[in-house]
Amino acid sequence: MKPADLDDLDRPWRTWASLIIGGMLAFSIVMGFVVIPVVQGYGAGIDPFTAICRAVGLVPGSPSTRQPTSAAKAEPTTQVAWSTQLLRTLSRPTDMGAVVAEGCVACHGQRGIASDPQNPNLAGQSAVAIYKQLHDYKTGSRANDIMTPIAQTLEENQIRAVSVHFAAANRRSLDPTTAEVVDEDIVRLVERGDPARALPACNSCHGFSAGGPIETPTLSHQNREYLARQLRAFRDSSRRNDIYTRMRSVSAKLTDREINRLAEFYATTLQY
Amino acid sequence: MAVSEEAILRSELRWTIVVTGTITVIMVAILYAGIVHHINPPSNIETVDPKTLHLTGEFTEENLGTSIDAGGQITARMVATQFAFQPQCILLPANKRVTLRFASPDVIHGILVTGTNVNTMIVPGYVSQVHTVFTRTGDLLMPCHEYCGLGHSQMWATVRVVPEAEFKPDGSGRALCDAR
């Protein structure tokens, strides 16, 4: 057969195949975007136009169910919202940092290492973490008799500057001879968590460059008294500036012994 | 050996009938599900700013969990965050149509409720919404099923389905599990 004859033979197949596929497409569009949404919307008391818009994806919701509404007012646990611009300023040292830091040395030490273990060390802490806590003290999301009035006198740019200043300081050096050998279950909690209690490993957020929420502080080289006190404050909800109860729900599952031993672990460990 | 044109035509027609029949059955099933059971693809295009999720009204900490609005619609709201669900347990009645709404402030998470067909990804920037009816009562496990970081394997929550008679929301229309 000549090629021209083959073409003649194929033509009706091509025509019919195209017509059927085109017809099915048109049928599907009409059924899926118009008929079914309107029928479903009719049953749920939704007007046809809204139902079609929902089916097409122009407005939220399903054509067959009323869209839930919420009249809840925002009750933020913290006013801090991270933006690229804010995070960028928290990586830039300024001259102002050292000046503002002079107001901190009495409790937090000349180089950000506190002499009283009840106070946290700031040296080497992440600037993002220090910024969030100072900001929270300022706005009242976190309360402390000493820190609240101090933070309230600070301007936004001073908070940023002092956070960067302490982040750049060298961390407390640890004495290898005092490193506590801690129990196996505590190390497991730190490194692997406890799936049965839905407890994520401490280090999945608090380890160095671990990922997790950006504002999580690093815990090693911190003071044990301070760590244990904060875990207890989270547990009884007297401290509640953790976004979405991350630390409140974790600490509620910890026993007293675990809190003490975890604080001891992070205060003395040489591993992280 | 050459096959006659007529034999080819017969064979093609036979296969066309089989394919047309298969597609018709599938189409009828979809139409039936859509019109009789009001089933839709579980899509919901609704955006929300993940950076300010905790500052907005609906996904503020106090508003999470199960609530019933004035129209009697039951909605459970939940936030998936690294590395926990908040709240960690939601209370819902059996055999009633309920709506689950999820949002994430950080990375992509996902959920499935074991023993049901509830299964969705939770993508930051969007509200994931699922309408469903739970028929089995009890504590259903709801793990995070989208790798979200080092704490992913410890991230799970509970969907507590109780008989309709035992589902008693408080005066403000909210119902919570005992455990936080």
Coordinates of all heavy atoms in Angstrom, one line a residue, chain B residues 87-143:
Chain B
P87 N -2.8 20.8 70.2 CA -2.7 19.9 71.4 C -2.2 18.5 71.0 O -2.4 18.1 69.9 CB -4.0 20.0 72.0 CG -5.0 20.2 70.9 CD -4.2 21.0 69.9
Q88 N -1.8 17.8 72.0 CA -1.3 16.4 71.7 C -2.4 15.4 71.7 O -2.2 14.2 71.5 CB -0.2 16.0 72.7 CG 1.0 17.0 72.6 CD 2.3 16.6 73.1 OE1 2.3 15.6 73.9 NE2 3.3 17.3 72.8
C89 N -3.6 15.8 72.0 CA -4.8 14.9 72.0 C -6.0 15.7 71.6 O -6.2 16.8 72.1 CB -5.0 14.2 73.4 SG -6.5 13.3 73.4
I90 N -6.8 15.2 70.6 CA -8.0 15.9 70.3 C -9.2 15.0 70.5 O -9.1 13.8 70.3 CB -8.1 16.5 68.9 CG1 -7.6 15.5 67.9 CG2 -7.3 17.8 68.8 CD1 -7.8 16.0 66.4
L91 N -10.3 15.5 71.1 CA -11.5 14.8 71.4 C -12.5 15.0 70.4 O -12.8 16.1 70.0 CB -12.0 15.2 72.8 CG -13.1 14.4 73.4 CD1 -12.6 13.1 73.9 CD2 -13.7 15.2 74.6
L92 N -13.1 13.9 69.8 CA -14.1 14.0 68.8 C -15.2 13.0 69.0 O -14.9 11.9 69.5 CB -13.4 13.8 67.4 CG -12.6 15.0 66.9 CD1 -11.7 14.6 65.7 CD2 -13.4 16.2 66.6
P93 N -16.4 13.3 68.5 CA -17.5 12.3 68.6 C -17.5 11.3 67.5 O -17.1 11.7 66.4 CB -18.7 13.1 68.6 CG -18.3 14.3 67.8 CD -16.9 14.5 68.0
A94 N -18.0 10.1 67.7 CA -18.1 9.1 66.7 C -19.3 9.4 65.8 O -20.3 10.0 66.3 CB -18.1 7.7 67.3
N95 N -19.3 8.9 64.6 CA -20.5 8.9 63.7 C -21.1 10.3 63.5 O -22.3 10.5 63.3 CB -21.6 8.0 64.2 CG -21.1 6.6 64.4 OD1 -20.4 6.1 63.5 ND2 -21.4 6.0 65.5
K96 N -20.2 11.3 63.6 CA -20.7 12.7 63.2 C -19.7 13.3 62.3 O -18.5 13.0 62.4 CB -20.8 13.6 64.5 CG -22.0 13.3 65.3 CD -22.4 14.5 66.2 CE -23.4 15.4 65.5 NZ -23.9 16.4 66.4
R97 N -20.2 14.1 61.4 CA -19.2 14.8 60.4 C -18.4 15.8 61.2 O -18.9 16.7 61.9 CB -20.0 15.4 59.3 CG -19.2 15.7 58.1 CD -20.1 16.0 56.9 NE -19.3 16.6 55.8 CZ -18.6 15.9 55.0 NH1 -18.5 14.6 55.1 NH2 -17.9 16.5 54.0
V98 N -17.1 15.7 61.1 CA -16.2 16.6 61.8 C -15.2 17.1 60.8 O -14.9 16.5 59.7 CB -15.4 15.9 62.9 CG1 -16.4 15.5 64.0 CG2 -14.6 14.8 62.4
T99 N -14.7 18.3 61.1 CA -13.7 19.0 60.2 C -12.4 19.1 61.0 O -12.4 19.6 62.1 CB -14.2 20.4 59.8 OG1 -15.5 20.2 59.2 CG2 -13.2 21.0 58.8
L100 N -11.3 18.7 60.4 CA -10.0 18.8 61.0 C -9.2 19.9 60.2 O -9.2 19.8 59.0 CB -9.2 17.5 60.9 CG -9.9 16.2 61.5 CD1 -9.1 15.0 61.2 CD2 -10.2 16.4 62.9
R101 N -8.6 20.8 61.0 CA -7.9 21.9 60.3 C -6.4 21.9 60.9 O -6.3 21.9 62.1 CB -8.5 23.2 60.5 CG -9.7 23.4 59.5 CD -10.5 24.6 59.9 NE -9.9 25.9 59.7 CZ -9.7 26.5 58.5 NH1 -10.2 25.9 57.4 NH2 -9.2 27.6 58.4
F102 N -5.4 21.9 60.1 CA -4.0 21.8 60.5 C -3.3 23.0 59.9 O -3.5 23.4 58.8 CB -3.4 20.5 60.1 CG -4.1 19.3 60.6 CD1 -5.0 18.7 59.8 CD2 -3.7 18.7 61.8 CE1 -5.7 17.5 60.3 CE2 -4.3 17.6 62.2 CZ -5.3 17.0 61.5
A103 N -2.2 23.4 60.6 CA -1.3 24.4 60.1 C 0.1 24.2 60.7 O 0.2 23.6 61.7 CB -1.8 25.8 60.3
S104 N 1.1 24.6 60.0 CA 2.5 24.5 60.4 C 3.2 25.8 60.4 O 3.1 26.5 59.4 CB 3.2 23.4 59.6 OG 4.6 23.6 59.7
P105 N 3.9 26.1 61.5 CA 4.7 27.4 61.5 C 6.1 27.2 60.9 O 6.8 28.2 60.8 CB 4.7 27.8 62.9 CG 4.6 26.5 63.7 CD 3.9 25.5 62.8
D106 N 6.5 25.9 60.8 CA 7.9 25.8 60.4 C 8.2 25.0 59.1 O 8.4 25.6 58.1 CB 8.7 25.2 61.6 CG 7.9 24.1 62.4 OD1 7.4 23.2 61.7 OD2 7.9 24.2 63.6
V107 N 8.1 23.7 59.2 CA 8.5 22.9 58.0 C 7.3 22.0 57.6 O 6.2 22.1 58.2 CB 9.7 22.0 58.2 CG1 10.9 22.9 58.5 CG2 9.4 21.0 59.3
I108 N 7.4 21.3 56.5 CA 6.4 20.4 56.1 C 6.2 19.2 57.1 O 7.2 18.5 57.4 CB 6.6 19.8 54.7 CG1 6.7 21.0 53.7 CG2 5.6 18.8 54.2 CD1 7.0 20.5 52.2
H109 N 5.0 19.0 57.6 CA 4.7 17.8 58.4 C 3.6 17.1 57.6 O 3.1 17.5 56.6 CB 4.2 18.3 59.7 CG 5.2 19.0 60.6 ND1 6.1 18.4 61.4 CD2 5.3 20.4 60.7 CE1 6.8 19.4 61.9 NE2 6.4 20.6 61.6
G110 N 3.1 16.0 58.2 CA 2.0 15.3 57.6 C 1.3 14.5 58.7 O 1.9 14.2 59.7
I111 N 0.1 14.1 58.5 CA -0.6 13.3 59.5 C -1.4 12.2 58.8 O -1.8 12.3 57.6 CB -1.6 14.0 60.4 CG1 -2.7 14.7 59.5 CG2 -0.9 15.0 61.3 CD1 -4.0 14.1 59.7
L112 N -1.5 11.1 59.5 CA -2.5 10.1 59.1 C -3.1 9.6 60.4 O -2.5 9.6 61.5 CB -1.9 8.9 58.3 CG -0.9 8.1 58.9 CD1 -1.4 7.0 59.8 CD2 -0.1 7.4 57.8
V113 N -4.4 9.3 60.4 CA -5.1 8.7 61.6 C -5.2 7.2 61.3 O -5.9 6.8 60.4 CB -6.4 9.4 61.9 CG1 -7.0 8.9 63.1 CG2 -6.2 10.9 62.0
T114 N -4.6 6.4 62.2 CA -4.5 5.0 61.9 C -5.9 4.4 61.9 O -6.8 4.7 62.7 CB -3.7 4.3 62.9 OG1 -4.1 4.7 64.2 CG2 -2.2 4.5 62.7
G115 N -6.2 3.5 60.9 CA -7.5 2.8 60.8 C -8.5 3.6 60.1 O -9.7 3.2 60.0
T116 N -8.2 4.8 59.7 CA -9.2 5.7 58.9 C -8.5 6.1 57.6 O -7.4 5.8 57.4 CB -9.6 6.9 59.7 OG1 -8.4 7.8 59.7 CG2 -9.9 6.6 61.2
N117 N -9.3 6.8 56.8 CA -8.7 7.3 55.6 C -8.2 8.7 55.7 O -8.1 9.4 54.7 CB -9.6 7.1 54.4 CG -10.9 7.9 54.5 OD1 -11.1 8.5 55.6 ND2 -11.7 8.0 53.5
V118 N -8.1 9.2 56.9 CA -7.6 10.6 57.1 C -6.1 10.6 56.9 O -5.4 9.9 57.6 CB -8.0 11.1 58.5 CG1 -7.4 12.5 58.7 CG2 -9.5 11.1 58.7
N119 N -5.7 11.4 55.9 CA -4.3 11.4 55.6 C -4.0 12.7 54.8 O -4.6 12.9 53.7 CB -4.0 10.2 54.7 CG -2.5 10.0 54.4 OD1 -1.8 11.0 54.3 ND2 -2.1 8.8 54.2
T120 N -3.2 13.6 55.3 CA -2.9 14.8 54.6 C -1.5 15.3 54.9 O -0.9 15.0 56.0 CB -4.0 15.9 54.9 OG1 -3.7 17.0 54.1 CG2 -3.9 16.3 56.4
M121 N -1.0 16.1 54.1 CA 0.3 16.8 54.3 C -0.1 18.1 55.0 O -1.1 18.7 54.7 CB 1.1 17.0 53.1 CG 1.9 15.8 52.7 SD 2.7 16.0 51.1 CE 4.0 17.1 51.5
I122 N 0.9 18.6 55.8 CA 0.7 20.0 56.4 C 1.8 20.8 55.9 O 3.0 20.6 56.3 CB 0.6 19.9 57.9 CG1 -0.4 18.8 58.3 CG2 0.3 21.2 58.5 CD1 -0.3 18.5 59.8
V123 N 1.5 21.7 55.0 CA 2.5 22.5 54.4 C 2.5 23.9 54.9 O 1.5 24.5 55.0 CB 2.3 22.5 52.8 CG1 3.4 23.3 52.1 CG2 2.2 21.1 52.3
P124 N 3.7 24.4 55.4 CA 3.7 25.8 55.9 C 3.2 26.8 54.8 O 3.5 26.7 53.7 CB 5.1 26.1 56.2 CG 5.9 25.0 55.6 CD 5.0 23.8 55.4
G125 N 2.3 27.7 55.2 CA 1.8 28.6 54.3 C 0.3 28.3 53.9 O -0.4 29.1 53.3
Y126 N -0.1 27.0 54.2 CA -1.4 26.6 53.8 C -2.1 26.0 55.0 O -1.5 25.5 55.9 CB -1.4 25.6 52.7 CG -0.9 26.1 51.4 CD1 0.5 26.1 51.1 CD2 -1.8 26.7 50.5 CE1 1.0 26.6 49.9 CE2 -1.3 27.2 49.3 CZ 0.1 27.1 49.0 OH 0.5 27.7 47.8
V127 N -3.5 26.1 55.0 CA -4.3 25.4 56.0 C -4.7 24.0 55.4 O -5.3 24.0 54.3 CB -5.5 26.2 56.4 CG1 -6.4 25.4 57.4 CG2 -5.1 27.5 57.0
S128 N -4.4 22.9 56.0 CA -4.8 21.6 55.5 C -6.1 21.3 56.2 O -6.3 21.4 57.4 CB -3.8 20.5 55.9 OG -2.6 20.9 55.3
Q129 N -7.1 20.9 55.4 CA -8.4 20.7 56.0 C -9.0 19.4 55.5 O -8.9 19.0 54.3 CB -9.4 21.8 55.6 CG -10.8 21.7 56.0 CD -11.6 22.9 55.8 OE1 -11.5 23.9 56.6 NE2 -12.4 22.9 54.8
V130 N -9.5 18.6 56.4 CA -10.1 17.3 56.1 C -11.5 17.2 56.7 O -11.6 17.5 57.9 CB -9.2 16.1 56.6 CG1 -9.8 14.8 56.3 CG2 -7.8 16.2 56.1
H131 N -12.5 16.8 56.0 CA -13.8 16.5 56.5 C -13.9 15.0 56.6 O -13.6 14.3 55.7 CB -14.9 17.0 55.6 CG -14.8 18.4 55.3 ND1 -15.1 19.4 56.2 CD2 -14.4 19.1 54.2 CE1 -14.9 20.6 55.6 NE2 -14.5 20.4 54.4
T132 N -14.4 14.5 57.8 CA -14.5 13.0 57.9 C -15.5 12.6 58.9 O -16.1 13.5 59.6 CB -13.1 12.4 58.3 OG1 -13.2 11.0 58.1 CG2 -12.7 12.7 59.7
V133 N -15.8 11.3 59.0 CA -16.7 10.8 60.0 C -15.9 9.6 60.6 O -15.5 8.7 59.9 CB -18.0 10.3 59.4 CG1 -18.9 9.6 60.5 CG2 -18.8 11.4 58.7
F134 N -15.7 9.6 61.9 CA -15.0 8.5 62.6 C -16.1 7.5 63.0 O -17.0 7.9 63.7 CB -14.2 9.0 63.8 CG -13.0 9.8 63.4 CD1 -13.0 11.2 63.6 CD2 -11.9 9.2 62.9 CE1 -11.9 12.0 63.3 CE2 -10.8 10.0 62.5 CZ -10.8 11.4 62.7
T135 N -15.9 6.3 62.7 CA -16.9 5.2 63.0 C -16.4 4.4 64.2 O -17.2 3.8 64.9 CB -17.2 4.3 61.8 OG1 -15.9 3.9 61.3 CG2 -17.9 5.1 60.8
R136 N -15.1 4.3 64.4 CA -14.5 3.5 65.5 C -14.2 4.4 66.7 O -13.6 5.4 66.5 CB -13.2 2.8 65.0 CG -12.9 1.5 65.6 CD -12.1 0.7 64.6 NE -10.9 1.4 64.1 CZ -9.7 1.4 64.7 NH1 -9.5 0.7 65.8 NH2 -8.7 2.0 64.2
T137 N -14.6 4.0 67.9 CA -14.3 4.7 69.1 C -12.9 4.3 69.7 O -12.5 3.2 69.3 CB -15.3 4.6 70.2 OG1 -15.5 3.3 70.5 CG2 -16.7 5.2 69.7
G138 N -12.3 5.1 70.5 CA -11.1 4.7 71.1 C -10.0 5.7 70.8 O -10.3 6.7 70.1
D139 N -8.8 5.5 71.3 CA -7.7 6.3 71.1 C -7.0 5.9 69.8 O -6.4 4.9 69.7 CB -6.6 6.2 72.2 CG -7.1 7.1 73.4 OD1 -8.2 7.6 73.3 OD2 -6.4 7.2 74.4
L140 N -7.1 6.8 68.8 CA -6.4 6.5 67.5 C -5.1 7.2 67.4 O -5.0 8.4 67.8 CB -7.3 6.9 66.3 CG -8.8 6.5 66.4 CD1 -9.5 7.0 65.2 CD2 -8.8 4.9 66.4
L141 N -4.1 6.5 67.0 CA -2.7 7.1 66.9 C -2.7 8.0 65.6 O -3.1 7.6 64.6 CB -1.7 6.0 66.8 CG -0.2 6.4 66.8 CD1 0.2 7.0 68.1 CD2 0.6 5.2 66.5
M142 N -2.1 9.2 65.8 CA -1.9 10.1 64.7 C -0.4 10.5 64.6 O 0.0 11.5 65.2 CB -2.8 11.3 64.9 CG -2.8 12.2 63.6 SD -3.8 13.6 63.9 CE -2.6 14.7 64.5
P143 N 0.4 9.7 63.9 CA 1.8 10.1 63.8 C 2.1 11.1 62.7 O 1.3 11.3 61.8 CB 2.5 8.8 63.4 CG 1.4 8.0 62.7 CD 0.1 8.5 63.2

